Amino acid sequence: MVVGLIRWRREFPFFLKGKWRGEVTERNAETFNILPTKKMLCCQTGVCAPSADHWIENCAQPFVLFGFSTMAEHLSQSELDYPFKLLEYINGFRVSKVIFSACEQGVFDLLLQSQKSLSAAEVAQELGTSEDSMERLLDALVGVEVLEVELKQGTAYYSSSDVANLYLAKNSPKSLYDMIIYQSQTIYPLWNNLGNAVREGRNQNEKTFGLSSEDIFSAIYRSEEEMLKFMGLMNSSWVIDGHDVVTAFDLSRFKSIVDVGGCSGALARELAKVYPASTLTVLDLPKVIQTAQKHFCQSDDTIKFQEVELFKEDLPAADLYVLARIIHDWKEEKSMTLLRKIHAACNSGGGILLVEAMLFENRRGPLMAQLFSLNMLVQTEGKEQPPSHYTHMLTAAGFTDVQVCRTGKSYDAILALK
Ligand SMILES: C[S@@+](CC[C@H](N)C(=O)[O-])C[C@H]1O[C@@H](n2cnc3c(N)ncnc32)[C@H](O)[C@@H]1O
């Protein structure tokens, strides 16, 4: 038993909500440096943590959840008595579907707009659904703590939680609606063929959508509607993760920044907010740039867009190249070609920032990155990697001074210099 962690748990009520029921054993303590004096946890995989306080404030909570709750080999005695966590995982797909379905039906938007709690009959009538089915859906949403319920004279009245209003309502500035729609309508069918992907070792675009598994972006952009949905997915990630990623390092010395494969421009906008003295240019395929300009541009945009076929055309010179979720799409040789090309185009004294969900070196997590890697299997030709792998690739492409920063959220950053 590790005293430091027990103290830490007492101080963070979040951790006591019953989400994690495992004991800390010597073995799972190995995954982290546990610092009893600081009463905090820190990853031991060679990453930078600016300070203990930074970890406590910014990193520790989700990090710990993913780290500890997924180590099957470290299941505690209580988990052996009754497999709470295992059952939660086994039913995880149902929880996802409850949230997906409620978003698709417009439940969260209706509850936000109504300004008062509504009965299942009222929600069903407004949304044109079966009353009994809607009541079950609303109850399940209460169970997963995104709705609240109150009984008045035997009738249940449902209202949104703050979390639902902020992240699940379609028009909230922090809405994850587009992410949910893509997960529900594209990722979920692909994951239905996960077993096949594991057997065959390749993506499931052909089996799922009848499309060639060779050209991954032709499959992803198979129609204008699919392209918009994918771009919406990419866009919504940076609404919640963008700030942490762009402030992982001080990038203010790079006066010209190019976001390579920058899609809707969401991450470039975050960079522009934090580094207003730098110019920001988004490079992407012509049809993506045109769609970004048509559907994602904002009136106060300072970012520029440029159509480039990354593997066929020259790249513009710049001080910093940002590659967010690019390397994880491709086979190693193709990624190396791109990294070498960027190194050649980069101004001297410039650099490259890789943004990816990075695996732990010891292979024990984070669960989110492990799941993303399986997602790369079913949809692309790439995979997620630990920092040492990216470091090796960057060094082989000619970059030096590689620094890694774990944000403690879904995406991490690596900066290297020319
Ligand atoms: C996984 S997405 C990442 C998007 C963005 N960086 C982000 O993190 O939100 C990969 C991006 O690379 C772009 N891309 C793929 N192949 C490309 C190519 N050959 N030339 C230019 N861009 C390409 C895609 O259009 C897409 O925007």
Side-chain angles (χ1 to χ4, degrees):
M1 192 66 71
V2 179
V3 175
L5 185 64
I6 301 307
R7 284 203 207 123
W8 188 88
R9 284 176 68 188
R10 205 181 295 140
E11 288 181 17
F12 289 84
F14 169 88
F15 208 59
L16 297 174
K17 277 183 79 182
K19 297 283 181 201
W20 178 71
R21 298 181 178 83
E23 291 296 317
V24 182
T25 65
E26 289 305 321
R27 278 194 71 196
N28 66 23
E30 276 170 23
T31 308
F32 306 94
N33 289 328
I34 293 179
L35 306 176
T37 52
K38 297 279 184 195
K39 301 174 192 163
M40 50 87 65
L41 305 174
C42 182
C43 178
Q44 70 170 17
T45 52
V47 301
C48 77
S51 68
D53 289 343
H54 177 93
W55 269 97
I56 291 171
E57 281 163 26
N58 301 313
C59 307
Q61 293 181 5
F63 187 84
V64 171
L65 254 190
F66 292 131
F68 279 108
S69 62
T70 61
M71 290 182 280
E73 74 273 29
H74 301 134
L75 290 176
S76 68
Q77 189 59 45
S78 67
E79 193 71 12
L80 288 175
D81 290 343
Y82 190 83
F84 289 104
K85 189 73 357 202
L86 206 51
L87 288 172
E88 224 171 82
Y89 288 160
I90 291 167
N91 284 289
F93 78 99
R94 297 182 217 258
V95 174
S96 302
K97 271 292 181 188
V98 162
I99 295 172
F100 295 170
S101 171
C103 263
E104 285 163 340
Q105 310 272 345
V107 168
F108 303 111
D109 305 312
L110 176 67
L111 289 174
L112 177 62
Q113 282 151 22
S114 86
Q115 306 276 345
K116 65 177 176 79
S117 54
L118 299 175
S119 68
E122 289 168 324
V123 176
Q125 193 184 1
E126 282 292 327
L127 300 179
T129 70
S130 141
E131 183 182 325
D132 172 64
S133 314
M134 181 51 76
E135 188 173 55
R136 296 188 216 187
L137 185 67
L138 295 171
D139 283 338
L141 291 164
V142 172
V144 296
E145 298 176 20
V146 294
L147 293 190
E148 280 152 23
V149 68
E150 212 185 325
L151 286 172
K152 290 181 204 159
Q153 289 155 359
T155 303
Y157 287 88
Y158 302 88
S159 57
S160 265
S161 64
D162 292 343
V163 165
N165 286 337
L166 189 62
Y167 294 113
L168 301 176
K170 196 173 179 176
N171 294 321
S172 152
K174 289 205 166 192
S175 178
L176 300 178
Y177 178 88
D178 288 343
M179 182 187 284
I180 289 165
I181 295 302
Y182 197 79
Q183 304 265 19
S184 175
Q185 297 172 7
T186 303
I187 302 293
Y188 193 85
L190 280 164
W191 276 67
N192 209 23
N193 291 315
L194 177 63
N196 226 42
V198 170
R199 269 189 300 279
E200 294 176 357
R202 65 188 178 112
N203 72 54
Q204 294 298 298
N205 289 321
E206 196 168 332
K207 195 165 172 65
T208 315
F209 304 117
L211 299 160
S212 158
S213 50
E214 297 300 312
D215 186 349
I216 57 172
F217 278 94
S218 291
I220 289 172
Y221 298 148
R222 58 191 168 277
S223 66
E224 205 178 324
E225 192 193 348
E226 273 301 313
M227 183 188 293
L228 260 177
K229 277 201 267 179
F230 178 80
M231 292 176 74
L233 165 80
M234 294 293 112
N235 205 69
S236 56
S237 297
W238 301 128
V239 170
I240 50 171
D241 283 304
H243 185 77
D244 290 278
V245 160
V246 304
T247 55
F249 299 98
D250 179 2
L251 305 174
S252 56
R253 75 193 125 136
F254 302 111
K255 296 302 171 207
S256 54
I257 305 179
V258 163
D259 189 357
V260 181
C263 205
S264 68
L267 191 60
R269 272 181 205 99
E270 290 299 321
L271 283 157
K273 269 188 234 162
V274 177
Y275 307 107
S278 303
T279 63
L280 259 304
T281 308
V282 173
L283 309 183
D284 213 301
L285 294 165
K287 60 184 176 181
V288 176
I289 293 293
Q290 287 149 29
T291 309
Q293 288 175 315
K294 189 167 162 198
H295 294 278
F296 292 90
C297 269
Q298 297 175 0
S299 52
D300 56 351
D301 258 357
T302 54
I303 61 173
K304 294 184 204 126
F305 287 90
Q306 187 176 335
E307 299 177 5
V308 175
E309 213 309 343
L310 294 177
F311 298 99
K312 294 189 181 146
E313 294 176 278
D314 288 340
L315 302 180
D319 294 338
L320 181 71
Y321 295 80
V322 177
L323 278 78
R325 301 186 284 189
I326 302 296
I327 298 301
H328 78 169
D329 285 338
W330 306 107
K331 290 200 178 98
E332 182 105 358
E333 315 85 80
K334 201 162 174 178
S335 292
M336 282 308 303
T337 305
L338 185 58
L339 291 178
R340 287 197 183 99
K341 198 168 171 177
I342 289 170
H343 185 265
C346 185
N347 292 334
S348 82
I352 184 168
L353 183 79
L354 298 189
V355 178
E356 300 283 359
M358 292 181 205
L359 296 167
F360 292 154
E361 302 292 346
N362 64 11
R363 313 190 74 88
R364 293 184 180 176
L367 175 60
M368 194 69 100
Q370 291 163 331
L371 295 177
F372 285 169
S373 201
L374 284 170
N375 200 72
M376 294 301 109
L377 171 66
V378 296
Q379 196 173 24
T380 73
E381 54 186 56
K383 65 200 296 193
E384 307 300 348
Q385 302 281 4
S388 61
H389 193 89
Y390 293 115
T391 302
H392 176 75
M393 290 174 82
L394 288 165
T395 311
F399 290 99
T400 56
D401 298 313
V402 183
Q403 286 174 267
V404 180
C405 184
R406 293 260 185 205
T407 66
K409 298 191 179 153
S410 298
Y411 294 97
D412 307 304
I414 297 193
L415 180 67
L417 302 179
K418 178 168 175 179

